[in-house]
Amino acid sequence: MFYSSTTHQSAKRSAGVASVTMLKITLALLLVVLFIITVSLAHKIMHRNKIDHKHVYGLWIEVGTPSYDTEVIKINEVGVYKNSHLITTHFDFNGTELEINTGKGRTVYALDKDDPNILKRTQPRLPQQQLVRKGYEDTAELDVSSYVRKKKVVRYIEEDEPHPVDSQMKKLEQVKLQQQDVPVSGYRGK
């Protein structure tokens, strides 16, 4: 009897030790999981601050093109405007690339690694396009063919100034309206 009671107490003790050990292991694993979740949430919050759309808000002016063919892209909380025309109300920005999807297809611009005030179109690749944030036009280095040529861009476009295409479109609309108001004389229906 004495032997079985010590064996029984020993078995209870080892079962108790095993339970405590399992509890410690479970607690340690729980702490590790909690730590991983905390770190990933902190990373996500920091990343979200980095990719805030406000980093690309503003007026972007194409450089390296003739003035009559210059594109002006305005990005704000409403959407993306190209030459004063809203082309989409949704765009994606991941901190380094700006993706714009329209009915004409997908366009991707990458922020320059050295200068966050320069956007270079990466898709479609041709024709090459480089945009500079308004106010930084004179700092742009233009990419020409396979080599880089430094050139100062001395062009300034006012945000409120209408684009030449807009004024031409308004004139066409006025002519169409005038033509609609003029009655057609001499027409005799059958």
Side-chain angles (χ1 to χ4, degrees):
M1 247 176 142
F2 181 74
Y3 177 73
S4 76
S5 124
T6 13
T7 308
H8 183 64
Q9 286 176 352
S10 173
K12 277 186 175 180
R13 240 185 252 144
S14 57
V17 170
S19 295
V20 170
T21 305
M22 287 300 289
L23 192 61
K24 286 180 180 179
I25 291 172
T26 304
L27 185 61
L29 287 174
L30 222 58
L31 287 174
V32 168
V33 168
L34 184 63
F35 177 75
I36 290 171
I37 290 172
T38 304
V39 167
S40 66
L41 283 175
H43 181 267
K44 190 177 253 186
I45 289 170
M46 289 185 333
H47 186 64
R48 185 174 292 148
N49 287 339
K50 181 183 174 190
I51 63 168
D52 188 7
H53 284 82
K54 292 180 182 175
H55 292 294
V56 290
Y57 283 177
L59 198 64
W60 295 86
I61 302 163
E62 184 179 17
V63 293
T65 59
S67 60
Y68 63 86
D69 200 26
T70 298
E71 286 186 2
V72 178
I73 295 179
K74 182 179 181 180
I75 304 169
N76 61 22
E77 61 279 346
V78 174
V80 179
Y81 295 81
K82 185 176 180 181
N83 299 334
S84 304
H85 299 284
L86 182 65
I87 59 171
T88 186
T89 57
H90 178 75
F91 63 93
D92 292 318
F93 180 64
N94 68 7
T96 57
E97 287 189 334
L98 169 69
E99 183 178 335
I100 302 169
N101 288 303
T102 65
K104 292 185 176 183
R106 177 176 175 250
T107 305
V108 179
Y109 294 94
L111 277 176
D112 189 74
K113 293 175 186 172
D114 299 324
D115 189 352
N117 297 307
I118 297 175
L119 281 173
K120 293 182 180 181
R121 185 170 63 194
T122 58
Q123 286 184 1
R125 295 190 76 72
L126 294 174
Q128 292 181 352
Q129 185 182 44
Q130 182 173 327
L131 303 170
V132 178
R133 189 184 303 269
K134 179 182 176 187
Y136 295 89
E137 299 91 340
D138 59 339
T139 63
E141 293 180 3
L142 302 179
D143 288 342
V144 180
S145 300
S146 61
Y147 65 95
V148 176
R149 180 188 302 165
K150 290 184 179 181
K151 180 179 178 185
K152 288 198 171 194
V153 180
V154 192
R155 187 167 9 132
Y156 187 81
I157 298 176
E158 289 292 327
E159 188 170 350
D160 298 329
E161 180 183 316
H163 195 273
V165 173
D166 291 340
S167 60
Q168 291 172 355
M169 292 301 289
K170 286 179 184 177
K171 286 178 186 176
L172 281 172
E173 287 175 17
Q174 289 173 351
V175 168
K176 285 180 183 178
L177 287 174
Q178 288 173 354
Q179 289 174 349
Q180 289 175 354
D181 290 338
V182 176
V184 179
S185 59
Y187 175 74
R188 297 181 189 189
K190 293 185 180 178

